[in-house]
Structures are given as structure tokens and as C-alpha cells.
Amino acid sequence: MKDFILFSGSSNISLAQTVAKTLGIPLGGVDLARFADGEIRPWIQEDVRDKTVFVLQSFSYDMDDHIMELCLMGDAIRRSAPKTMIAVIPYMGYARQDKQHRSGEPVSARVIAKFLEVSKFSEVITVDLHNDAIVGFFQVPVTHLSALPVLAGEIKKLNLKNMLVVSPDVGGVKRARNLAYQLDVAMVVMEKKRYIDRHDKSENYQIIGDVSGKDAIVIDDVISTGGTIATSAKALKDAGAVSVTVGATHPVLAGNAVEKLSTSPIDHLIITDTIAVPKEKQLKNLHVTSVAPLISDAIATIIR
Ligand code: R5P
């Protein structure tokens, strides 16, 4: 086995600790101090020379800080001659900006890939990118993990009798089809309208398929403002679904998402811990399942 160290940035220390425990190591020592003006000043406190070094950091709130922290940690580590350095990014923010939605906008996901390369990360491990094609934005190898089996395992435990998988938008059909396959049930699609000039605003305006009498399982990659999920749940119940379960990998829960979700007719909300959900955002019907085993296995494969 290769000599390795796992560091954690500040965004999801509990997930990093679980991964470290599964791998049977302590987390590497790093001081994530700041200057008075807010500049991040990471200080690596381990000998990384000739070692395989992993740095786990999700891009959650405050996203830009987390990105900068990871890049600066990368720069600090590579200056001490590690053998190789791998970024473990359970949630890669900016992934939804994977194309120019209108002329004059950036392709932000590509910029993030560039930042990581400039910081000398030679590999990336990540979970459920918004779009599989983002892997192609990286010049370095990417291990793209899927949390769908983990979510499917939790959904099965609910013992729902008449399940039907629902994609809340056309872009999520592949994901929904994969889940439907894993649960061995059928799927339907909803059509979502986005407003290019109104940030984070969407509407579901058509269900393509019959959901009446069904236990609807809505699957999505990200819950950001909660708009997609809340409007889907309402439309499904209005169309006769007997229950609505939501499975989503990344609980961004931005703005007033928690208020929105707590008043929407969702029976079960299953998320993963790619992003740490603070106590005040933990809804009553929330089940959190961990991606730590997935990430630990991916690390174990690289170090063996
Ligand atoms: C969009 O294509 C994504 O898959 C999610 O449906 C979307 O990002 C969720 O955002 P919100 O919670 O703000 O509706």
C-alpha cells in the first residue's frame, strides 16, 4: 500500500473524518487560518514528501471560499514535493454552469477544472456531477462516483408498494432511468421551464406519464433553492400520486429552501452528506445517507 495522507478543507470535516476512520488513519494536520482581511492562509503540518496526498473539500456555502481554500492547500502541498496530489470534491459547485446558457456568460465548470490543474492536483474524485460530460473539462483523470446505489438502498428501506421514478426535468432523464432500473420500476418525466433572466426560478408545467395511485420517487442531483422539488411534489400530488419521496445527492439548500421544502407535500426527503447540512436546516422528514463508503473505496483503489 502507498504511503498516503488525507487532509480536509473546512467545508465538510465530518465527512472527511468518517472517510479517514474508514481508511484507518487520522486526518492530516493543517492550520486553516485567515489574515485580518479574510485572506485564507493554509499551513500544512505534515511531511508530505513522496506521499500520495488527498484533500477533501466540497464546494458549499461559502462556495468561492471553499474553492480558494482547496486551491491554496494544493499549492502549499505541492511545494513540499508529494508523490501525487488528489482533490476529493464530494460536491463540485459551478457544475450547473457547464455551458454558455446565453452569449456573454462563462463556462464556469471549465474554469474550476482549470483552477484545480493550476493548483497541481493530478487527479480528481467527485460524486454525481450535474452532467457526465464535465469529466471532459479536466486534463487529469477523474473518478466520477455515483450516489444512486446509496440513495436506491435508502428508498428500498421505505418499502413503498407502488413506486414510480420521476425525473423532475428532461435533463435528469438518464439519472431517473438508472434509478428506475436499480429499483426495477417504471419512470416518467416532468417538463421544467427555466427563466434565463430570472436566477434560480423554475416551474414544472407538465407530467409526461400517469402518476395517479403511485408512490412517486423524484430523483435529482442538486437541491438548491428547493423550487424544482417543491413544485414537482405539488404537481405530482395534484395529479394523484399517493406519496412523494425525493432522493437527491447534493443538499445545497440555498436561501429559503428549507422553508419552501417544509411546506411542500414531500413525504420522505433522502439526501447524502456530500454537503454538511447545518442543524438549523435539518428538516423533520430528512434522511441523510453517507457517501463516505463510496469515497473511501475510491481512495483505497488509488492507494493499493
Ligand atoms: C437542474 O438542472 C438540476 O438538476 C436541479 O434540478 C436544480 O439545480 C435544482 O435547483 P433548485 O432547487 O433551485 O430548483
Side-chain angles (χ1 to χ4, degrees):
M1 187 189 282
K2 291 173 192 150
D3 202 358
F4 74 104
I5 303 183
L6 171 65
F7 291 103
S8 178
S10 61
S11 77
N12 198 342
I13 295 171
S14 60
L15 175 60
Q17 278 167 339
T18 313
V19 170
K21 200 168 163 204
T22 312
L23 293 165
I25 50 160
L27 280 176
V30 55
D31 181 16
L32 294 169
R34 286 190 182 245
F35 289 101
D37 61 0
E39 286 177 4
I40 304 161
R41 187 191 197 190
W43 181 24
I44 302 297
Q45 301 182 335
E46 307 284 346
D47 176 10
V48 298
R49 178 172 291 276
D50 289 332
K51 296 194 175 134
T52 301
V53 178
F54 298 84
V55 185
L56 188 148
Q57 176 83 316
S58 261
F59 300 166
S60 54
Y61 188 78
D62 186 337
M63 183 166 308
D64 295 345
D65 259 17
H66 291 157
I67 294 166
M68 195 62 191
E69 192 180 80
L70 177 62
C71 291
L72 294 180
M73 286 176 79
D75 190 71
I77 293 164
R78 68 116 183 150
R79 286 172 190 281
S80 298
K83 186 168 174 211
T84 181
M85 196 173 69
I86 296 146
V88 183
I89 308 175
Y91 172 58
M92 187 182 131
Y94 284 103
R96 288 177 294 166
Q97 296 184 50
D98 56 354
K99 57 169 124 15
Q100 271 196 307
H101 294 279
R102 59 186 163 180
S103 162
E105 288 192 345
V107 181
S108 309
R110 171 81 183 116
V111 174
I112 297 295
K114 277 304 217 193
F115 281 177
L116 294 169
E117 284 160 28
V118 166
S119 307
K120 298 289 177 214
F121 286 100
S122 52
E123 270 191 61
V124 173
I125 298 172
T126 190
V127 183
D128 286 345
L129 288 168
H130 178 60
N131 169 358
D132 292 344
I134 294 169
V135 168
F137 290 175
F138 290 86
Q139 299 291 321
V140 299
V142 176
T143 303
H144 185 196
L145 304 169
S146 168
L148 268 191
V150 179
L151 292 169
E154 290 304 303
I155 292 164
K156 281 181 190 162
K157 286 186 201 159
L158 297 172
N159 281 320
L160 298 166
K161 296 283 168 273
N162 212 356
M163 287 191 288
L164 177 74
V165 171
V166 180
S167 174
D169 51 39
V170 175
V173 168
K174 189 172 163 207
R175 187 178 307 117
R177 197 188 54 212
N178 286 345
L179 181 66
Y181 181 77
Q182 289 179 38
L183 297 175
D184 196 17
V185 298
M187 65 162 281
V188 300
V189 183
M190 300 182 82
E191 239 184 307
K192 181 164 79 177
K193 186 171 167 54
R194 277 255 180 233
Y195 298 89
I196 192 82
D197 51 345
R198 285 155 72 192
H199 292 312
D200 295 314
K201 175 86 186 138
S202 66
E203 247 167 46
N204 294 91
Y205 62 103
Q206 198 184 162
I207 304 170
I208 306 168
D210 182 10
V211 299
S212 92
K214 297 288 187 184
D215 294 297
I217 314 291
V218 184
I219 186 77
D220 212 344
D221 55 339
V222 180
I223 303 177
S224 182
T225 66
T228 301
I229 290 307
T231 51
S232 303
K234 182 170 181 320
L236 290 164
K237 282 270 169 91
D238 289 349
V242 290
S243 74
V244 175
T245 297
V246 172
T249 309
H250 308 298
V252 173
L253 302 177
N256 67 345
V258 168
E259 289 80 347
K260 217 180 275 173
L261 295 175
S262 58
T263 54
S264 100
I266 298 171
D267 298 280
H268 310 279
L269 180 51
I270 304 172
I271 54 163
T272 81
D273 57 355
T274 57
I275 295 172
V277 178
K279 256 207 175 85
E280 65 280 8
K281 291 196 172 182
Q282 288 175 8
L283 290 138
K284 262 198 249 124
N285 56 354
L286 198 67
H287 310 239
V288 185
T289 182
S290 185
V291 292
L294 273 183
I295 293 177
S296 313
D297 281 357
I299 292 178
T301 304
I302 291 172
I303 57 171
R304 76 165 174 237

Short mmCIF file of all heavy atoms in Angstrom, two decimals, residues 31 40 44 49 80 261:
data_model
loop_
_atom_site.label_atom_id
_atom_site.label_comp_id
_atom_site.label_asym_id
_atom_site.label_seq_id
_atom_site.Cartn_x
_atom_site.Cartn_y
_atom_site.Cartn_z
N ASP A 31 -3.45 23.91 9.42
CA ASP A 31 -3.99 25.08 10.10
C ASP A 31 -4.63 25.96 9.03
O ASP A 31 -3.94 26.46 8.14
CB ASP A 31 -2.83 25.81 10.81
CG ASP A 31 -3.32 27.03 11.56
OD1 ASP A 31 -4.54 27.15 11.78
OD2 ASP A 31 -2.47 27.88 11.91
N ILE A 40 -7.27 33.61 3.05
CA ILE A 40 -7.06 32.28 3.65
C ILE A 40 -5.56 31.98 3.67
O ILE A 40 -4.86 32.27 2.70
CB ILE A 40 -7.80 31.21 2.81
CG1 ILE A 40 -9.29 31.58 2.71
CG2 ILE A 40 -7.63 29.82 3.40
CD1 ILE A 40 -10.02 30.88 1.57
N ILE A 44 0.24 23.60 6.07
CA ILE A 44 0.26 22.13 6.13
C ILE A 44 1.25 21.69 7.21
O ILE A 44 2.40 22.12 7.21
CB ILE A 44 0.67 21.56 4.74
CG1 ILE A 44 -0.30 22.04 3.65
CG2 ILE A 44 0.79 20.03 4.77
CD1 ILE A 44 -1.73 21.62 3.78
N ARG A 49 6.35 14.79 1.64
CA ARG A 49 7.32 14.41 0.60
C ARG A 49 7.15 12.95 0.18
O ARG A 49 7.05 12.06 1.02
CB ARG A 49 8.75 14.66 1.10
CG ARG A 49 9.83 14.25 0.09
CD ARG A 49 11.22 14.68 0.52
NE ARG A 49 11.38 16.13 0.47
CZ ARG A 49 11.70 16.83 -0.63
NH1 ARG A 49 11.89 16.20 -1.78
NH2 ARG A 49 11.82 18.13 -0.58
N SER A 80 5.92 21.04 -1.19
CA SER A 80 6.71 20.14 -0.34
C SER A 80 6.91 18.77 -0.99
O SER A 80 7.10 17.77 -0.30
CB SER A 80 6.02 19.99 1.02
OG SER A 80 5.96 21.25 1.65
N LEU A 261 -39.33 23.77 1.35
CA LEU A 261 -39.49 22.32 1.41
C LEU A 261 -40.37 21.90 2.58
O LEU A 261 -41.09 20.91 2.51
CB LEU A 261 -38.13 21.63 1.48
CG LEU A 261 -37.26 21.81 0.23
CD1 LEU A 261 -35.88 21.21 0.44
CD2 LEU A 261 -37.92 21.17 -0.99
#
